[in-house]
Amino acid sequence: MTDNRNVILAIILSMIVLFGWQFFIAGPQLERAQQQAQIATEQAQSEAALATPAATPAAAGTPGTVGPDGKVFYADRAEAIAASERVTIDTPDLHGSINLTGARLDDLELKQYRETVDPDSPIITLLTPAGAPGAYFAEQGFVPGAGADIAVPDGQSVWAVEGNATALSATTPVTLRWDNGEGLIFRRTFAVDEFYLFTVTQSVENTTSGEVSLFPYARVARHGTPKVANFFIQHEGPHGVLGSNNMISKKYSDLQNDQQVRLDNTTGWLGFSDKYWATAVLPEPGETINALFSWKNTGSYDDYQTSFVETTPVVVAPGATATHQSYLFAGAKEEAVINRYQQEYGFDRIDLLIDWGWLSFITKPMYYALTFLNGIIGNFGLAVMAVTVIVKALFFPLASRSYASMAAMRRVQPEMKSIQERFKDDRPAQQQAMMELYKTEKINPLSGCWPVLIQIPVFFALYTVIFISLDMRHAPFFGWIQDLAAPDPTNIFTLFGLIPWDPTVMPFIGGFLHLGIWPVIMGITMWVQMKLNPPPPDPTQAMIFNWMPVIFTFMLGTFPAGLVIYWAWNNALSVTQQYFIMKRHGVDVDLIGNILGSFKRKPAADEPTKS
C-alpha cells in the first residue's frame, strides 16, 4: 500500500459494488405491473411463416362459454378443464390430462412439489388450458406445404381415444385418432417416462390415390406475461439451444420488442423456463428445424410462443402409413433427470435448462459437492457448513500467511502510533515513515483482504446454487429455518411476530426492514472477527470498518437463509483460525478486552486522559 487514500478508495468502491449487488443481482427488481385480462381461446393464425414451404400451424381456441363479444373464456382453470373430454395422466411425478379437443397437453401438475413448505399446500401447477387465466400449453402436429390444400387437425379438432387405454401412465401409452374425412387418418400416441419426458409419435395413414407431404411442427404457447424474479443470475422466459446459434435467451419484454426471432435451418430445442420448472419441445436430435420465438398482443392478452417446423417433410405414399416422433419436456428442472436425458437421448445441451450462469465452472462443482455431502449428512444446511470447512482447509496456507502478516501488524502497533504522533501535521512524511516500517518488518497491510477476497467466488457460487437449485427449494435446516432458499422468516422489527405489521412495505427503506435472527448472528460474528484485526491507523478507515458489520447485516437480511448461515459459520471458523495463528506468532490477542473496549466511552480530543 502506497497511500492510505488508496485503501479508503478501495473500501468505498467495494461498498458500491456490494450495494449494487444487493439491488441488481441479489435482490429482485421491481416487478412489472401486469393487467390480468379475460383470456379468449380463439387463437389467431401465426403472423409469419417459419420457412418455405412449411407454414406456422394454425392455432384455434378451445370450445367453452361464449361471451357477448363472441370470444371464449373461462372463469378459472378448473372450468376450462371441465369444458372438454380428456384422457387422464397419472405417473409418480405428474398428474393432469390430455385435451381431446386439439389433442394437446394443457393440464399438468407436479406431484412432488408444493407451493409452500406447508405439506397441505397445493401442488405446483405447470400447464393450464387455453381460455383460462395464465394459459400455458404444448402441442404437436402437421402443416401442409405451401399451396397444398390438405385438411390437417388443429386446436378445434376433436380426437377419439383408440384402443383400451383409459389413462396415460409411465407404462401405458395412449393413442388418439382423427379422420379428416378426405382419406387421411391421423394418429397421435403419447408416452411418458417416470419423470417429465413425453414422447409424441404421430402417424398419417393415406387412403387416397395421391402422395401426401406434411411438415411436422411443435410449439409451446403461453398467454399473459408471468411474474418472474428478474434476478440477474438466472434467466426466466423464452429460451432454447439452437445448434450453432448456441443458447438463445429472451426476456418477455425483449420478445415484445422483437415480436419475432427466426432461426432457420438449425437444430436443437426451445421452450419456456421458469425458476424451477420448464417446458420445451424437442425434435429428434440432429433434425433440421426452422425455429421461431414470437409475441403478439391479441387485445386481451400477450401471446408468447416458441415453435419449430421441421425442414424435412413426412411423405406418405398412397395406401401407406408414415410416422414421426418428437419429444416434450414438461416438469421440474432436476439436474440428475435432465443429465440423464442428455446422455440417453442425445439432446443438444439440454442441461442448459438449468441456468448455471457464466461462472458454471464454479457453481456446478459447488452443486455437486453440496448434493454429495447432503447424501451423507442428510441435511443441506449441514452440507453447507461442511463445504465451508473444506474450503477453509483448501485455502489454509494462504490464510495462514495472511493472518501471520496481520499478527506482525499488531506487534508494531506501538511504532505505528509513535509515527502518527511524530508526523501528525505532516501527512506525506507520515506515509513515508509507515512505508519504511512496513518494509523493515516485511509487512503487507493488504494481506488481511485475502481471506475475504478468496471467499468471494465461493460466496457467489454458493449463492447461485442456493438460488437456482431445485434441491435447495424447501430444504429445511433446524428450528425456524424450513427453507434454505428463502430469507430467514423471523424479523426483529416485528419483535418476531408480536407486532402485527409488515415493515417491508414501507417506501424506500422497506427492503432493509427484514432482519432475522441468522443475519444478526452473522453480523455479530463479523464484528467479533474485526476485533481480532489491528485497528486501521487512519480514523476514517477505522470508522468505515466499524460500520461494515452493520451494513452487511442489513444487506444480507433478505438473502437466502442458507447463504447467511454459510457466512456466519465462515466467520466463526475464521475467528477461531485467526486467533490461534496470531497466538502462534507471539501476539497477545485480548479478544474479550477488545470487545469490551468497544463499549467504553472514548475521551474527547481536548479531554485529558486519566493516568
Side-chain angles (χ1 to χ4, degrees):
M1 183 179 71
T2 59
D3 195 325
N4 279 343
R5 286 175 297 178
N6 294 339
V7 178
I8 297 173
L9 180 60
I11 294 171
I12 293 173
L13 291 175
S14 298
M15 297 306 301
I16 293 173
V17 171
L18 289 170
F19 274 113
W21 190 3
Q22 167 70 8
F23 284 105
F24 300 111
I25 299 179
Q29 300 174 350
L30 292 176
E31 295 180 350
R32 187 157 53 100
Q34 302 178 37
Q35 179 67 39
Q36 182 64 50
Q38 295 178 328
I39 305 300
T41 358
E42 290 289 339
Q43 294 176 267
Q45 184 173 350
S46 298
E47 295 178 349
L50 283 171
T52 302
T56 304
T62 306
T65 304
V66 180
D69 58 357
K71 291 185 177 181
V72 182
F73 66 93
Y74 303 99
D76 53 35
R77 184 174 184 273
E79 183 179 326
I81 292 172
S84 59
E85 293 187 16
R86 295 177 170 272
V87 176
T88 301
I89 300 172
D90 189 13
T91 75
D93 284 348
L94 300 174
H95 175 268
S97 60
I98 301 170
N99 194 341
L100 293 185
T101 301
R104 60 169 55 140
L105 185 60
D106 63 359
D107 167 29
L108 201 63
E109 297 175 310
L110 310 182
K111 288 182 178 180
Q112 305 302 322
Y113 299 97
R114 297 190 176 271
E115 293 181 0
T116 69
V117 295
D118 184 350
D120 296 325
S121 65
I123 61 176
I124 292 295
T125 296
L126 183 63
L127 301 183
T128 296
Y136 185 19
F137 56 89
E139 68 180 11
Q140 292 79 14
F142 290 105
V143 289
D149 186 16
I150 302 173
V152 294
D154 59 22
Q156 289 180 319
S157 303
V158 179
W159 295 63
V161 178
E162 188 173 72
N164 298 322
T166 58
L168 174 62
S169 69
T171 57
T172 306
V174 168
T175 299
L176 308 182
R177 182 181 186 274
W178 184 80
D179 191 333
N180 76 344
E182 300 174 1
L184 296 181
I185 300 173
F186 294 82
R187 290 180 175 85
R188 195 170 295 171
T189 300
F190 291 86
V192 62
D193 67 0
E194 65 271 32
F195 299 111
Y196 312 112
L197 187 67
F198 292 82
T199 302
V200 182
T201 304
Q202 301 186 87
S203 69
V204 182
E205 181 183 346
N206 183 7
T207 62
T208 69
S209 58
E211 185 178 84
V212 174
S213 180
L214 299 170
F215 291 84
Y217 79 88
R219 68 174 179 140
V220 182
R222 196 162 202 172
H223 297 170
T225 306
K227 293 182 179 180
V228 296
N230 274 336
F231 273 40
F232 179 78
I233 62 174
Q234 185 187 41
H235 173 71
E236 293 181 75
H239 75 150
V241 171
L242 297 169
S244 60
N245 299 288
N246 297 316
M247 182 70 178
I248 305 296
S249 299
K250 292 288 181 179
K251 292 182 179 180
Y252 290 101
S253 57
D254 292 339
L255 195 53
Q256 289 181 13
N257 294 328
D258 296 335
Q259 298 192 16
Q260 284 194 357
V261 178
R262 295 176 49 159
L263 297 157
D264 292 342
N265 299 310
T266 185
T267 58
W269 55 268
L270 68 169
F272 292 91
S273 182
D274 297 321
K275 183 175 181 179
Y276 295 118
W277 335 111
T279 305
V281 284
L282 308 97
E284 287 282 7
E287 188 70 41
T288 303
I289 60 174
N290 296 323
L292 179 69
F293 297 87
S294 64
W295 166 86
K296 64 181 177 182
N297 186 277
T298 66
S300 298
Y301 57 87
D302 291 312
D303 181 8
Y304 303 92
Q305 292 194 39
T306 60
S307 59
F308 69 77
V309 173
E310 297 190 12
T311 59
T312 303
V314 172
V315 179
V316 194
T321 299
T323 62
H324 173 269
Q325 186 168 279
S326 64
Y327 304 90
L328 168 68
F329 176 91
K333 296 195 290 189
E334 297 176 7
E335 193 272 344
V337 172
I338 292 173
N339 273 353
R340 170 186 163 183
Y341 291 151
Q342 181 163 313
Q343 296 170 8
E344 185 173 333
Y345 293 87
F347 297 131
D348 183 16
R349 291 165 285 176
I350 194 176
D351 62 314
L352 293 181
L353 277 171
I354 303 174
D355 186 3
W356 295 105
W358 54 279
L359 286 178
S360 59
F361 62 94
I362 301 177
T363 54
K364 289 189 78 171
M366 176 64 74
Y367 168 79
Y368 292 134
L370 285 172
T371 52
F372 173 77
L373 291 170
N374 177 66
I376 298 174
I377 303 171
N379 184 288
F380 266 109
L382 295 179
V384 168
M385 290 184 164
V387 164
T388 311
V389 173
I390 294 172
V391 171
K392 281 289 184 185
L394 291 175
F395 289 105
F396 178 78
L398 182 59
S400 180
R401 288 195 295 270
S402 174
Y403 292 144
S405 181
M406 293 170 68
M409 283 195 68
R410 188 171 281 278
R411 285 199 309 269
V412 299
Q413 281 294 300
E415 289 88 340
M416 294 172 65
K417 290 181 179 179
S418 176
I419 291 173
Q420 289 175 332
E421 288 295 325
R422 289 202 315 267
F423 302 103
K424 61 182 178 181
D425 296 325
D426 190 349
R427 295 282 299 188
Q430 183 185 118
Q431 296 277 348
Q432 184 63 33
M434 286 286 190
M435 290 301 300
E436 290 295 331
L437 177 63
Y438 294 153
K439 184 177 180 180
T440 302
E441 298 293 336
K442 298 180 180 179
I443 296 173
N444 179 6
L446 290 180
S447 61
C449 299
W450 286 112
V452 176
L453 293 177
I454 61 178
Q455 71 175 331
I456 288 177
V458 177
F459 177 86
F460 183 79
L462 186 60
Y463 176 78
T464 303
V465 170
I466 291 174
F467 182 77
I468 72 172
S469 171
L470 187 58
D471 303 78
M472 302 296 288
R473 180 182 185 267
H474 295 175
F477 185 48
F478 296 106
W480 62 94
I481 302 297
Q482 296 299 310
D483 186 357
L484 287 166
D488 187 326
T490 60
N491 191 353
I492 64 174
F493 294 107
T494 64
L495 294 182
F496 309 109
L498 294 178
I499 303 177
W501 74 300
D502 183 7
T504 62
V505 300
M506 294 181 64
F508 304 110
I509 64 172
F512 293 98
L513 296 182
H514 182 95
L515 197 59
I517 296 174
W518 269 105
V520 172
I521 294 173
M522 185 284 305
I524 292 172
T525 59
M526 187 176 185
W527 180 72
V528 170
Q529 184 181 9
M530 287 192 168
K531 293 306 171 183
L532 281 172
N533 301 328
D538 185 85
T540 304
Q541 295 179 41
M543 181 188 67
I544 293 174
F545 277 111
N546 286 335
W547 278 101
M548 282 184 67
V550 177
I551 295 171
F552 270 74
T553 298
F554 279 91
M555 285 178 57
L556 268 67
T558 56
F559 274 46
L563 198 68
V564 181
I565 291 170
Y566 156 77
W567 196 285
W569 175 240
N570 180 74
N571 288 345
L573 292 177
S574 297
V575 168
T576 304
Q577 186 182 56
Q578 184 175 349
Y579 179 86
F580 284 105
I581 290 175
M582 295 179 75
K583 291 287 286 185
R584 190 179 65 185
H585 285 81
V587 177
D588 185 16
V589 182
D590 185 11
L591 179 59
I592 302 300
N594 291 344
I595 293 174
L596 295 177
S598 301
F599 299 100
K600 294 180 179 179
R601 177 179 175 271
K602 295 182 179 180
D606 56 350
E607 181 181 336
T609 304
K610 295 181 180 180
S611 57

